[in-house]
Amino acid sequence: YMPLQLHELKFALSTLVMVLLAAAGNIINDYFDIRTDRINKPDRVVVGKLVKRRVAMVSHHIINGLATLLGIYLAWDSGIWILAVIPIFMGTSLWFYSLQFKKQAWIGNFVVALMIGIVPMWAGVFELPLLAKAMVIMGKDGQLFAQTSWLWLLGFSGFAFWLTLIREAQKDMEDLRGDQISGFKTLPILWGIGRTKQYVFGLHLVFFLFMGLVIAQVIPMLSNQTWKWMLLGMVTLTIGFPLFYGMFKSLTGDTSEHFAQASAATKWAMA
């Protein structure tokens, strides 16, 4: 047994950095997306309707600035200054995503997927070096532990990245009408719905392949038969079933509501 080395408050602050960046990203996305949202999601428009545009912009800068300052503090406290770059990079990327990248085929999807993929890695950048040092002090192989832990985190990041690619494509199909009017160049607009469905289907197949490989590696590690069945049941019900449903809706859907249901199912699987 090895207790966590990072103080709970500092871990909470590191989590808060990601929450603030996500909040700031959503605000600026709504700010630049008012025209499109009035067509795609008229009942969910906030900026310009419930919140003034300048209030939204000021809120974005304040929240983004707070996330950056917290990131700098945590980097300074850990002695790994390079980590301060990550919140700055993410905040800047989300700004340019809302301003320009989301209007372009695939690159907008990639930027969002990359931001989501960074989150699990961020959870380990402060904790794992401390754990590795503690293991060395205890006479254990800290380097092997760190490598193994980073592989696990990389796995979570990879799955988060891939599921986000799927969901962003589903959302592009859902928002086709508003994106066309706003002059966006998303995948369904450039490729058409049919080819985008094939793309989403291919992403699902790759995900299921790698998920199967991971399960095949994990199952032999469990000595208790009950745990094995619990793992298979959990993966099937909470990941497999929602994704199969989302894939089915993506392939058979022909309305914005169908693609919204597919996107929601993928979100459940991510959670």
Side-chain angles (χ1 to χ4, degrees), residues 212-229:
L213 292 174
V214 169
I215 293 173
Q217 291 290 319
V218 173
I219 288 294
M221 299 179 185
L222 304 176
S223 57
N224 189 304
Q225 195 69 22
T226 302
W227 292 352
K228 294 181 181 181
W229 285 109

PDB file of all heavy atoms in Angstrom, residues 212-229:
ATOM      1  N   GLY A 212     -11.304  -4.110 -26.401  1.00  0.00           N
ATOM      2  CA  GLY A 212     -11.202  -5.562 -26.263  1.00  0.00           C
ATOM      3  C   GLY A 212      -9.799  -5.997 -25.882  1.00  0.00           C
ATOM      4  O   GLY A 212      -9.622  -6.896 -25.042  1.00  0.00           O
ATOM      5  N   LEU A 213      -8.793  -5.358 -26.471  1.00  0.00           N
ATOM      6  CA  LEU A 213      -7.405  -5.688 -26.150  1.00  0.00           C
ATOM      7  C   LEU A 213      -7.079  -5.359 -24.694  1.00  0.00           C
ATOM      8  O   LEU A 213      -6.388  -6.121 -24.008  1.00  0.00           O
ATOM      9  CB  LEU A 213      -6.453  -4.941 -27.087  1.00  0.00           C
ATOM     10  CG  LEU A 213      -6.468  -5.375 -28.554  1.00  0.00           C
ATOM     11  CD1 LEU A 213      -5.596  -4.450 -29.390  1.00  0.00           C
ATOM     12  CD2 LEU A 213      -5.980  -6.814 -28.690  1.00  0.00           C
ATOM     13  N   VAL A 214      -7.580  -4.220 -24.227  1.00  0.00           N
ATOM     14  CA  VAL A 214      -7.336  -3.836 -22.830  1.00  0.00           C
ATOM     15  C   VAL A 214      -8.002  -4.824 -21.876  1.00  0.00           C
ATOM     16  O   VAL A 214      -7.402  -5.260 -20.890  1.00  0.00           O
ATOM     17  CB  VAL A 214      -7.860  -2.404 -22.570  1.00  0.00           C
ATOM     18  CG1 VAL A 214      -7.850  -2.096 -21.071  1.00  0.00           C
ATOM     19  CG2 VAL A 214      -7.007  -1.392 -23.314  1.00  0.00           C
ATOM     20  N   ILE A 215      -9.248  -5.181 -22.161  1.00  0.00           N
ATOM     21  CA  ILE A 215      -9.958  -6.131 -21.299  1.00  0.00           C
ATOM     22  C   ILE A 215      -9.237  -7.482 -21.270  1.00  0.00           C
ATOM     23  O   ILE A 215      -9.115  -8.116 -20.219  1.00  0.00           O
ATOM     24  CB  ILE A 215     -11.410  -6.303 -21.785  1.00  0.00           C
ATOM     25  CG1 ILE A 215     -12.182  -5.003 -21.579  1.00  0.00           C
ATOM     26  CG2 ILE A 215     -12.109  -7.439 -21.036  1.00  0.00           C
ATOM     27  CD1 ILE A 215     -13.567  -5.012 -22.167  1.00  0.00           C
ATOM     28  N   ALA A 216      -8.727  -7.892 -22.439  1.00  0.00           N
ATOM     29  CA  ALA A 216      -8.010  -9.168 -22.512  1.00  0.00           C
ATOM     30  C   ALA A 216      -6.739  -9.140 -21.664  1.00  0.00           C
ATOM     31  O   ALA A 216      -6.296 -10.174 -21.155  1.00  0.00           O
ATOM     32  CB  ALA A 216      -7.659  -9.484 -23.968  1.00  0.00           C
ATOM     33  N   GLN A 217      -6.150  -7.941 -21.484  1.00  0.00           N
ATOM     34  CA  GLN A 217      -4.963  -7.809 -20.646  1.00  0.00           C
ATOM     35  C   GLN A 217      -5.322  -7.749 -19.159  1.00  0.00           C
ATOM     36  O   GLN A 217      -4.585  -8.253 -18.312  1.00  0.00           O
ATOM     37  CB  GLN A 217      -4.197  -6.533 -21.028  1.00  0.00           C
ATOM     38  CG  GLN A 217      -3.535  -6.587 -22.394  1.00  0.00           C
ATOM     39  CD  GLN A 217      -2.366  -7.559 -22.414  1.00  0.00           C
ATOM     40  OE1 GLN A 217      -1.579  -7.630 -21.479  1.00  0.00           O
ATOM     41  NE2 GLN A 217      -2.259  -8.333 -23.492  1.00  0.00           N
ATOM     42  N   VAL A 218      -6.466  -7.118 -18.846  1.00  0.00           N
ATOM     43  CA  VAL A 218      -6.824  -6.884 -17.449  1.00  0.00           C
ATOM     44  C   VAL A 218      -7.424  -8.129 -16.794  1.00  0.00           C
ATOM     45  O   VAL A 218      -7.130  -8.431 -15.627  1.00  0.00           O
ATOM     46  CB  VAL A 218      -7.810  -5.696 -17.345  1.00  0.00           C
ATOM     47  CG1 VAL A 218      -8.318  -5.544 -15.913  1.00  0.00           C
ATOM     48  CG2 VAL A 218      -7.131  -4.413 -17.801  1.00  0.00           C
ATOM     49  N   ILE A 219      -8.265  -8.847 -17.532  1.00  0.00           N
ATOM     50  CA  ILE A 219      -8.964 -10.007 -16.965  1.00  0.00           C
ATOM     51  C   ILE A 219      -8.014 -11.001 -16.288  1.00  0.00           C
ATOM     52  O   ILE A 219      -8.272 -11.455 -15.159  1.00  0.00           O
ATOM     53  CB  ILE A 219      -9.800 -10.715 -18.053  1.00  0.00           C
ATOM     54  CG1 ILE A 219     -11.024  -9.871 -18.413  1.00  0.00           C
ATOM     55  CG2 ILE A 219     -10.253 -12.101 -17.596  1.00  0.00           C
ATOM     56  CD1 ILE A 219     -12.032  -9.724 -17.295  1.00  0.00           C
ATOM     57  N   PRO A 220      -6.877 -11.400 -16.928  1.00  0.00           N
ATOM     58  CA  PRO A 220      -5.974 -12.355 -16.267  1.00  0.00           C
ATOM     59  C   PRO A 220      -5.356 -11.820 -14.971  1.00  0.00           C
ATOM     60  O   PRO A 220      -4.888 -12.605 -14.149  1.00  0.00           O
ATOM     61  CB  PRO A 220      -4.886 -12.599 -17.326  1.00  0.00           C
ATOM     62  CG  PRO A 220      -5.536 -12.263 -18.626  1.00  0.00           C
ATOM     63  CD  PRO A 220      -6.437 -11.122 -18.318  1.00  0.00           C
ATOM     64  N   MET A 221      -5.365 -10.482 -14.790  1.00  0.00           N
ATOM     65  CA  MET A 221      -4.793  -9.919 -13.571  1.00  0.00           C
ATOM     66  C   MET A 221      -5.702 -10.128 -12.363  1.00  0.00           C
ATOM     67  O   MET A 221      -5.251 -10.019 -11.218  1.00  0.00           O
ATOM     68  CB  MET A 221      -4.554  -8.409 -13.740  1.00  0.00           C
ATOM     69  CG  MET A 221      -3.580  -8.047 -14.843  1.00  0.00           C
ATOM     70  SD  MET A 221      -3.408  -6.237 -14.947  1.00  0.00           S
ATOM     71  CE  MET A 221      -2.353  -6.093 -16.405  1.00  0.00           C
ATOM     72  N   LEU A 222      -6.976 -10.404 -12.615  1.00  0.00           N
ATOM     73  CA  LEU A 222      -7.942 -10.556 -11.530  1.00  0.00           C
ATOM     74  C   LEU A 222      -8.026 -12.018 -11.104  1.00  0.00           C
ATOM     75  O   LEU A 222      -8.375 -12.883 -11.904  1.00  0.00           O
ATOM     76  CB  LEU A 222      -9.318 -10.058 -11.976  1.00  0.00           C
ATOM     77  CG  LEU A 222      -9.376  -8.613 -12.482  1.00  0.00           C
ATOM     78  CD1 LEU A 222     -10.769  -8.268 -12.980  1.00  0.00           C
ATOM     79  CD2 LEU A 222      -8.950  -7.637 -11.391  1.00  0.00           C
ATOM     80  N   SER A 223      -7.716 -12.282  -9.856  1.00  0.00           N
ATOM     81  CA  SER A 223      -7.707 -13.662  -9.365  1.00  0.00           C
ATOM     82  C   SER A 223      -9.105 -14.136  -8.994  1.00  0.00           C
ATOM     83  O   SER A 223      -9.402 -15.329  -9.039  1.00  0.00           O
ATOM     84  CB  SER A 223      -6.784 -13.774  -8.144  1.00  0.00           C
ATOM     85  OG  SER A 223      -7.183 -12.863  -7.126  1.00  0.00           O
ATOM     86  N   ASN A 224      -9.958 -13.203  -8.615  1.00  0.00           N
ATOM     87  CA  ASN A 224     -11.307 -13.544  -8.178  1.00  0.00           C
ATOM     88  C   ASN A 224     -12.250 -13.615  -9.383  1.00  0.00           C
ATOM     89  O   ASN A 224     -12.352 -12.668 -10.156  1.00  0.00           O
ATOM     90  CB  ASN A 224     -11.812 -12.491  -7.168  1.00  0.00           C
ATOM     91  CG  ASN A 224     -13.108 -12.906  -6.510  1.00  0.00           C
ATOM     92  OD1 ASN A 224     -14.093 -13.181  -7.173  1.00  0.00           O
ATOM     93  ND2 ASN A 224     -13.092 -12.951  -5.176  1.00  0.00           N
ATOM     94  N   GLN A 225     -12.945 -14.743  -9.538  1.00  0.00           N
ATOM     95  CA  GLN A 225     -13.847 -14.929 -10.666  1.00  0.00           C
ATOM     96  C   GLN A 225     -14.994 -13.920 -10.645  1.00  0.00           C
ATOM     97  O   GLN A 225     -15.443 -13.449 -11.702  1.00  0.00           O
ATOM     98  CB  GLN A 225     -14.413 -16.356 -10.654  1.00  0.00           C
ATOM     99  CG  GLN A 225     -15.077 -16.781 -11.960  1.00  0.00           C
ATOM    100  CD  GLN A 225     -14.062 -16.959 -13.086  1.00  0.00           C
ATOM    101  OE1 GLN A 225     -12.881 -17.171 -12.843  1.00  0.00           O
ATOM    102  NE2 GLN A 225     -14.549 -16.849 -14.313  1.00  0.00           N
ATOM    103  N   THR A 226     -15.459 -13.587  -9.451  1.00  0.00           N
ATOM    104  CA  THR A 226     -16.550 -12.613  -9.330  1.00  0.00           C
ATOM    105  C   THR A 226     -16.122 -11.261  -9.874  1.00  0.00           C
ATOM    106  O   THR A 226     -16.897 -10.575 -10.555  1.00  0.00           O
ATOM    107  CB  THR A 226     -16.980 -12.473  -7.857  1.00  0.00           C
ATOM    108  OG1 THR A 226     -17.373 -13.754  -7.357  1.00  0.00           O
ATOM    109  CG2 THR A 226     -18.135 -11.500  -7.724  1.00  0.00           C
ATOM    110  N   TRP A 227     -14.885 -10.863  -9.570  1.00  0.00           N
ATOM    111  CA  TRP A 227     -14.385  -9.575 -10.072  1.00  0.00           C
ATOM    112  C   TRP A 227     -14.342  -9.560 -11.589  1.00  0.00           C
ATOM    113  O   TRP A 227     -14.627  -8.547 -12.218  1.00  0.00           O
ATOM    114  CB  TRP A 227     -13.000  -9.301  -9.494  1.00  0.00           C
ATOM    115  CG  TRP A 227     -13.005  -9.049  -8.016  1.00  0.00           C
ATOM    116  CD1 TRP A 227     -14.099  -8.901  -7.202  1.00  0.00           C
ATOM    117  CD2 TRP A 227     -11.859  -8.921  -7.188  1.00  0.00           C
ATOM    118  NE1 TRP A 227     -13.703  -8.688  -5.913  1.00  0.00           N
ATOM    119  CE2 TRP A 227     -12.333  -8.691  -5.861  1.00  0.00           C
ATOM    120  CE3 TRP A 227     -10.491  -8.972  -7.404  1.00  0.00           C
ATOM    121  CZ2 TRP A 227     -11.476  -8.510  -4.791  1.00  0.00           C
ATOM    122  CZ3 TRP A 227      -9.628  -8.795  -6.333  1.00  0.00           C
ATOM    123  CH2 TRP A 227     -10.123  -8.569  -5.038  1.00  0.00           C
ATOM    124  N   LYS A 228     -13.961 -10.695 -12.174  1.00  0.00           N
ATOM    125  CA  LYS A 228     -13.898 -10.767 -13.630  1.00  0.00           C
ATOM    126  C   LYS A 228     -15.270 -10.529 -14.250  1.00  0.00           C
ATOM    127  O   LYS A 228     -15.414  -9.767 -15.216  1.00  0.00           O
ATOM    128  CB  LYS A 228     -13.345 -12.126 -14.064  1.00  0.00           C
ATOM    129  CG  LYS A 228     -11.895 -12.366 -13.675  1.00  0.00           C
ATOM    130  CD  LYS A 228     -11.400 -13.729 -14.148  1.00  0.00           C
ATOM    131  CE  LYS A 228      -9.942 -13.954 -13.727  1.00  0.00           C
ATOM    132  NZ  LYS A 228      -9.423 -15.253 -14.197  1.00  0.00           N
ATOM    133  N   TRP A 229     -16.287 -11.193 -13.699  1.00  0.00           N
ATOM    134  CA  TRP A 229     -17.644 -11.014 -14.222  1.00  0.00           C
ATOM    135  C   TRP A 229     -18.161  -9.607 -13.954  1.00  0.00           C
ATOM    136  O   TRP A 229     -18.886  -9.025 -14.782  1.00  0.00           O
ATOM    137  CB  TRP A 229     -18.588 -12.051 -13.619  1.00  0.00           C
ATOM    138  CG  TRP A 229     -18.410 -13.416 -14.209  1.00  0.00           C
ATOM    139  CD1 TRP A 229     -17.873 -14.519 -13.605  1.00  0.00           C
ATOM    140  CD2 TRP A 229     -18.751 -13.814 -15.546  1.00  0.00           C
ATOM    141  NE1 TRP A 229     -17.856 -15.578 -14.470  1.00  0.00           N
ATOM    142  CE2 TRP A 229     -18.392 -15.190 -15.669  1.00  0.00           C
ATOM    143  CE3 TRP A 229     -19.312 -13.164 -16.638  1.00  0.00           C
ATOM    144  CZ2 TRP A 229     -18.585 -15.901 -16.844  1.00  0.00           C
ATOM    145  CZ3 TRP A 229     -19.505 -13.874 -17.812  1.00  0.00           C
ATOM    146  CH2 TRP A 229     -19.153 -15.224 -17.906  1.00  0.00           C
TER     147      TRP A 229
END
